[in-house]
Amino acid sequence: LILTNDGELAHHLTHPSHEVYKEYLVKLSPDEPGLPSPEKPLSGTIELDGEMLLPAKCRLLTKTENGYIMTISIRQGKNRQIRRMCAKCGYTVNALKRVAEGDVKLGDLPSGSWRYLSEGEVRYLKSL
């Protein structure tokens, strides 16, 4: 979450036409046994509410006993998009955490904490 009073920056970060990726760490499990790895179906073409979504970038980090841990990066941010994409492909999201907005990374910031952006991060955001 980036808190700003810069309306133009907020628009650039949130509007899909600017194609700023939001990266999520996702833990998911298949709804039924035998489903293939979720990486390929989630990065393919998916339709939600009659609209084709922009392709997601998916990277499988590990296969666990109960499912998968992966990163999913999206540019649109439709309502509950990650959860709905996964459900459409036959997976249930067990945990979801945004870890990056563009090149600004969450890092090891504890839950409930905050920090100021570095000068480099501010320069990056202003360059969008």
Side-chain angles (χ1 to χ4, degrees):
L1 176 68
I2 295 176
L3 183 62
T4 181
N5 63 357
D6 184 334
E8 187 176 333
L9 171 62
H11 176 74
H12 278 292
L13 290 174
T14 58
H15 198 277
S17 67
H18 299 286
E19 299 189 359
V20 177
Y21 277 94
K22 288 89 176 155
E23 183 178 320
Y24 296 83
L25 180 64
V26 185
K27 295 178 184 178
L28 48 104
S29 57
D31 291 339
E32 57 188 62
L35 280 177
S37 171
E39 193 172 15
K40 188 171 182 178
L42 288 172
S43 60
T45 303
I46 298 176
E47 180 183 328
L48 289 179
D49 300 330
E51 182 180 350
M52 299 306 289
L53 299 177
L54 294 171
K57 292 180 181 178
C58 299
R59 184 170 49 105
L60 183 63
L61 301 176
T62 188
K63 183 175 183 344
T64 67
E65 191 175 297
N66 301 322
Y68 302 90
I69 299 174
M70 60 188 311
T71 60
I72 301 175
S73 298
I74 58 173
R75 297 178 277 175
Q76 285 174 288
K78 301 286 184 188
N79 183 39
R80 299 176 58 84
Q81 181 175 336
I82 300 276
R83 292 182 190 279
R84 293 170 59 213
M85 287 170 51
C86 291
K88 186 112 183 185
C89 294
Y91 293 89
T92 298
V93 173
N94 301 313
L96 178 68
K97 180 179 182 179
R98 187 181 292 181
V99 294
E101 183 121 5
D103 289 345
V104 178
K105 309 286 186 203
L106 179 64
D108 59 0
L109 188 67
S111 185
S113 298
W114 63 274
R115 68 174 179 84
Y116 288 104
L117 296 175
S118 70
E119 289 181 26
E121 289 169 329
V122 172
R123 273 194 307 277
Y124 162 74
L125 291 171
K126 289 185 177 193
S127 74
L128 295 177

